[in-house]
Amino acid sequence: MKAFNRLSAGLCLSVFLFCPVHGVWGQGAGESSWQLKGLVDTYHAFRSEKPNDWMSSRTRLRGEVGKNFAGSSLFVSFNATYNALLKERTGFELREAYLDHRQEHWGFRLGRQLVIWGAADGVRITDLVSPMDMTEFLAQDYDDIRMPVNALRFFVFNDKIKLELLAVPTFEGYKLPTDAANPWSVLPKETPRSLVWDAEGSRPELRLSNVEYGGRLSFALPGVDFSLAALHTWNKMPVIEYKPSGSQLTVSPRYYRMGFVGGDVSKPLGQFVLRGEAAFNLGKHFSYIQQAASTPQKGFNTINWLVGADWYAPHEWTVMAQFSSESIFKYESYVAQPRHNSLLTLCVSKKLLDSNLQLSDFTYFDLNHKGWFSRFTADYALNDHIHLLAGYDWFGGSEGMFGPYKHNSEVWAKAKYCF
C-alpha cells in the first residue's frame, strides 16, 4: 500500500508538471517556453537455466520537463516505476532537477544532475563523481545505472578550452542490492552463519568537511581532445566489513575519503578513434578477505588506466575495444582485489534493414579470474517513437566480479515508446 501511495503521489506530481506545459506549448520561438519529452518502457527477463524464474519485471514512465529563458534553463526529470519483483523499487523518483545559466564565456549548473567525466565507455577511471545503481548489477542500460548527485558546477570557457569547477555538498554512494531474495545481491550466498546487513552510521555526515570538490580542464584542439582532472571525493563503492558474532555475521558498508589526479585523451584517425584515460588514486580503500576482518583499514595509492580504439567501419559496422588495469602500490595479501586487476571490453554492432535494426554485443572480460558478462541486443525501430528490443545476458566464471552471477544468465525483452 505504501508503494502504491508513493507511485500515486508521483503520478500526481507528473500531471502537475505537465499542466503548465500544455498551457504555453504554442508560444512563439522568441518567448520562453516549456518543453516536454520522455519515454515509457517495460522490461522483463527470466533465467535461462533452471528454475527459469523471473529475474526482472518492471515498467517505467520517464518524464523530462524543461524551460528556456534569457540564457538560462530549468530541467527536471523523474521516474514513476512499477517493479513486480523488487517492491521497494516501485514508486516515484526525482532524477534530475537543476538550473543552468550560460553567458558568453562563463556559466554554472546548480541542482541535482548527472556528472560525466572521461573518455571510457562502461568503465570508470576518472568518471568518479556520479555513483552507480547496482540493484540489477550491469543488466540495465548504462544510462540508467549512473546516478545523479546534488552539485554546483561553475564553467569558464572559450572555443578551445573549458574549465569546470565542481562542489558536491551531499554524499551519494552506490546503491547495492542486499536483499537475499534479489538474484543480484552482493551478500555472500553460502555462509555457515546467518547474515545481517547493518548500514547504520555508514554514510558520511552532512557537514562542510565532507564536501567533495574538484575540477576538470578540457581542451578541444584541431585533431585531438584531452582533459586534466583532479577530485577530492569519497569512494562511492563502499568497503564491505565483516564482523562475526556467535551464529551471526554482520556485514557493514564503510565509506572512506580518497582523491585522484588524472586525465583523458581522444584522437580521430580516419575511420578510427583512439582513446586513453588514466588516474592516480590517492588513499583508496579496499574490502579485505573475510579472514582479515579484524585488520585495521588503510588507504592505498593506485594507478588506474585505459586504452581503447573505436572503428567506425563501412556498411554500418562499429567495433569498440578497451583494455583497462588497476595496480595497487604497497599491496597487502589481505586485500580482496588482486594487485593488478585487468579488464577487457569489446563492443561490436551492425545496422541492418535501412538502419532500423541494430544488432550489438557488449562484453566485459575479467582477465584475472577468467570471468565474463556479455550482453547481446537486437533493437528494432518500429517507427520514430517505438523500439522493440530483445537480448541475452551471458555470465561466466567462478570468481571475481562476475563469478557470483554465473547462474544469472537471462533472456530479456523490452519495449520502449519515446515522446
Side-chain angles (χ1 to χ4, degrees), residues 158-187:
N158 59 27
D159 292 341
K160 296 182 175 62
I161 302 174
K162 180 179 180 181
L163 172 64
E164 173 185 347
L165 300 177
L166 168 81
V168 182
T170 58
F171 172 79
E172 299 278 354
Y174 273 52
K175 189 175 291 184
L176 299 178
T178 58
D179 185 349
N182 188 333
W184 308 102
S185 175
V186 297
L187 299 182

Side-chain angles (χ1 to χ4, degrees), residues 47-285:
R47 198 186 308 262
S48 59
E49 62 180 73
K50 292 183 179 180
N52 304 118
D53 53 336
W54 288 104
M55 300 287 288
S56 182
S57 181
R58 47 184 159 82
T59 299
R60 172 185 61 170
L61 165 67
R62 161 76 61 81
E64 297 180 356
V65 181
K67 180 178 175 64
N68 299 315
F69 51 94
S72 299
S73 63
L74 292 171
F75 179 81
V76 175
S77 68
F78 59 88
N79 291 328
T81 305
Y82 175 75
N83 195 311
L85 300 183
L86 305 177
K87 301 297 185 181
E88 69 278 6
R89 301 306 301 272
T90 294
F92 176 83
E93 173 196 28
L94 178 66
R95 184 162 173 80
E96 293 185 87
Y98 60 78
L99 168 67
D100 191 277
H101 180 78
R102 300 298 165 103
Q103 295 289 345
E104 185 177 3
H105 293 298
W106 67 275
F108 67 86
R109 179 172 292 182
L110 174 63
R112 189 162 184 81
Q113 57 192 281
L114 294 169
V115 180
I116 302 173
W117 285 5
D121 184 19
V123 180
R124 294 165 65 86
I125 307 294
T126 64
D127 187 21
L128 302 182
V129 180
S130 288
M132 309 289 276
D133 180 355
M134 305 300 288
T135 308
E136 296 184 31
F137 192 54
L138 296 173
Q140 303 181 76
D141 293 339
Y142 201 77
D143 289 342
D144 294 328
I145 295 175
R146 194 189 306 273
M147 296 169 54
V149 293
N150 297 315
L152 169 62
R153 300 160 74 188
F154 181 77
F155 307 97
V156 179
F157 49 83
N158 59 27
D159 292 341
K160 296 182 175 62
I161 302 174
K162 180 179 180 181
L163 172 64
E164 173 185 347
L165 300 177
L166 168 81
V168 182
T170 58
F171 172 79
E172 299 278 354
Y174 273 52
K175 189 175 291 184
L176 299 178
T178 58
D179 185 349
N182 188 333
W184 308 102
S185 175
V186 297
L187 299 182
K189 291 180 171 55
E190 297 180 4
T191 60
R193 295 182 172 94
S194 60
L195 296 177
V196 177
W197 177 260
D198 182 14
E200 186 175 355
S202 64
R203 294 174 61 88
E205 297 179 359
L206 179 59
R207 57 189 184 192
L208 188 61
S209 60
N210 287 338
V211 171
E212 301 174 59
Y213 54 88
R216 186 169 186 250
L217 184 62
S218 303
F219 299 84
L221 304 180
V224 63
D225 295 338
F226 67 95
S227 70
L228 304 172
L231 185 67
H232 186 52
T233 183
W234 294 88
N235 191 346
K236 308 300 175 62
M237 170 60 93
V239 167
I240 303 298
E241 296 184 352
Y242 300 90
K243 293 182 180 179
S245 176
S247 61
Q248 289 187 341
L249 181 63
T250 301
V251 186
S252 302
R254 294 289 181 262
Y255 300 93
Y256 295 92
R257 275 289 202 179
M258 64 169 288
F260 85 81
V261 292
D264 61 82
V265 61
S266 177
K267 179 173 180 56
L269 288 173
Q271 297 178 347
F272 295 86
V273 176
L274 306 181
R275 292 180 286 113
E277 192 169 349
F280 183 71
N281 297 313
L282 304 166
K284 183 176 179 179
H285 289 247

